Each structure stands twice: as structure tokens, then as C-alpha cells.
Amino acid sequence: MRGCRPRALLCGLLAAAVAVAAGGGRALPHLSDDVPFRVNWPGTEFSLPTTGVLYKEDNYIIMTTVDKEKYKCILPLIASGNEEEEKDYKGPTPGELLEPLFKQSSCSYRIESYWTYEVCHGKHIRQYHEEKETGQKINIQEYYLGNMMMKNPLSEPEGQMTPYYPVEMGNGTPCSLRQNLPRSSTVMYICHPEAKHEILSVAEVTTCEYEVVILTPLLCNHPKYRFRASPVNDIFCQSLPGSPLKPHNLEQLEKQQEMMKMPFRRVKEEEMHSTKEEKFSSIHKPVAVGSHQLLTVGTTHISKLTDDQLIKEFLSGSYCFHGGVGWWKYEFCYGKYVHQYHEDKESGKTSVVVGTWNKEEHIEWSKKNAARTYYLKEDGTQTVRMVSHFYGNGDVCDLTEKPRQVTVKLKCKESDSPHAVTIYMLEPHSCQYILGVESPVICKILDTADEHGLLSVPS
């Protein structure tokens, strides 16, 4: 194990694993230098992760330091471990895992620069565009890319880094470019533990044949489809009786490293504190909604607000929505602004103004664009299904040398949770954005929209 001095602890763990195998103990998978590891010290109150890399309670080694401190270190199951668990799996099939999504009649949407895509799971895929004509009449151009066919799903793929579960949908709108053959699609469901059945992409792979990728957490309970998220494999080391939570020498080393960072960190923490005081008053403090990590909201915990209070505070701009997936997060305050931001413990907060509200500018924009879109009810009456608002004069974009701007699309979304919120950002053109905001809360106020899409408190 030469060359291990900079990472002596990890090298010691790997050496111990080799020693266990050499001593006639349990056979462990080969550990390669190409696979990165990270050692964690979680203490006794600890539950193994259920997503990402797989772990088993009996896949561990006992590590002893030079000071005779002892630790039980649970190792991740790499490669052959995944295959073994797939073979032993006796749980629901992928189709059974997705069944609740098909039964609850839910739909997912993706808004692009011209087309909007609607996937109603287990039912149909629709591509449509709405335009406002003179006299406020809405013209809808639409195509069905596929309807659910009573067929078995396609054969399941083998050996992919990102396995998907395909569902075939056919009998769509006839395609004039293919002698009026019906359009068809393959919907590929991919496990993502933090997703909410979002449409990741829509692609026309050949003329009038499409591939739609949906991210869903439902498949993550199946080992074959489990999301392999982290490139770093965690090793969890728990102290045995008589040993400290973490090896004494390691703790001393970490304290020395912290002392070296202190002068720089103190300045950054002071800057972060002042930034937070300026940007987030008490009414804009983000709090988590349920256990979902992607969506946060402002003011106070959503369950403590009545519908009337929530609507009034939302329309006044004091109740702000926070959301986003990945590095950037988004803050939307109705009638005020849209911000894009990233917070980091080390470097503080990076914030970009995507757009600010100006009522006169929005009214001018609404004269050339559809501020209200409708859908037709079964009884023949129309009702507002979405309003669009223009927020301009954001921070200047380096690529276009023009201010950023965003169209905010407020859409009614029925849900079992009456206060659920979904927020997503698209960038169809450089520094010109679309922010989608979907919630049952919006359903309660859409019918108040005036000709410019402006909302008010229901009477």
C-alpha cells in the first residue's frame, strides 16, 4: 500500500478489507483506485441510505487504529453487489411500482419556446400551442403523440448505466409525412429519488416517432432501476464500545485544518449574514414543504395559513415561492421579482435578478402575447387554465448584453395535497426564461384574471 500517506485512514480501511479476505473471512469485492470513497462517522443512531449506492448490514469490516480504537465500517456494494441484489429481488415489478401514477390520472407538463407537452400518465401524450387572435379568441394547434395501448411494455434494457422502464404509446394523430400513419411514442421512466414525475426531454427520433423521458421516484425501490447518484462511495464507520465517535488523531488533524481556515471563514460568514439580512426579511424565510427537498416556500409553514390568508399574502408579494433542482434555486414573489440564486457555506450567496415586475410593461407585452389560456369543460364552457406574466429589466446578460427577462406561467395543478407547489425554470433562448409555477392554490384565483392576466383576491 505504498503512496497512501495523504489518505492513510482510507488506505488502512482498504488494507483491512484485503486482510479480512486473505484471512479466510467473507469474500469482498475488488476495490479499485478508480472508484472514489469517502469515510463518514455517523455515530450509533444511524440508518443506511435507501437510494444511490447499495449497502447491507453484514457487509462490514472491523478497523483498529494504532491507538487501539475500534470501528465497524460498513462498505458499499460495488458492481457485483448490485447484480446480486437484482437477482435476489422479490418485490413489485416496475410496472406495479408505476401503477399508482397511472391510476391517479396525473399529468406532467413541459413548456418550450413554442410547444407545450402534456403527458397524462397511462393515457396520452399531447403537443399543443395556443395563440390569441383578434377579439381575444384562442386558437389551439395540437397533436396527440400517442395514446395508451393495451400492450405489454417493451423488453427491459440490460446493462445500462441509467436503466429505464419503457411504455409504448401509439394511435396518435395521423402523420401526413408518413402516409397518415398514426404518431407513436416511447415513454421512458427513469428513477430519480427527488423527482416529481417531471418531463426531462421530448425528442422526435424519426419522423412522427418520439421518445419522452420522465423522472420518477417510484422506480427507485427496484434495484435494477435505482438511481446511481453519487460518484463518491460512502463508507460508514461506527465506533465500538470504548472508542470515541471519531479516531483521536483524525480529530486533532481536522482541528488544525479548521484553525488554518478560520481568518478567511470569519470574513465570509459575516458577509453571508449581512446578505441574508438584506435579501430575506422574516416574511421571506424559506421553509421546507413536507419531506421534499426540492420545494420550499416563504413567510411561514404553509399548513398554518388558511386559503384566504395564503391567497392575500401571495398576491401582495409577501408570500414567496422557492424551488429548483440542482445548483440554481429560484425565488418568485408575485408582482415583485424573480431571482435565481445559489448558496454555499464557503463562498456565500450568488444571486441573479432574472426579472422585475412593471405593470405597464406587462400590459404592453400582453397586447402581443396570450396572457390567459383556457380549456374547454365537458359542459361546453371555458375556464382559465393558465396566466402568463412578463417580468423584465433583470441583470444584464453577458451573452446578449441585454437585461434578462422571464415569462412566469401560473398554472392550476390539482393535487392530493391542497398546498403543494411545483416550480421549474426553462431557458429557451439565452437569458430569456420561462418560470413555471403550478399549485392548487393558483386554481382558486385563475378565474379572477382580467384581460391582461392580472389576478385579484376572489370575492
Side-chain angles (χ1 to χ4, degrees), residues 425-444:
M425 178 82 88
L426 304 171
E427 189 176 2
H429 305 288
S430 295
C431 299
Q432 294 183 15
Y433 307 89
I434 294 172
L435 184 77
V437 182
E438 302 177 359
S439 173
V441 173
I442 295 171
C443 302
K444 303 175 188 298

Side-chain angles (χ1 to χ4, degrees), residues 367-387:
K367 291 176 182 177
K368 301 174 185 176
N369 299 273
R372 293 181 297 187
T373 57
Y374 301 83
Y375 71 86
L376 197 64
K377 290 183 176 181
E378 291 182 1
D379 61 4
T381 60
Q382 282 189 332
T383 184
V384 179
R385 66 177 291 273
M386 183 174 71
V387 296

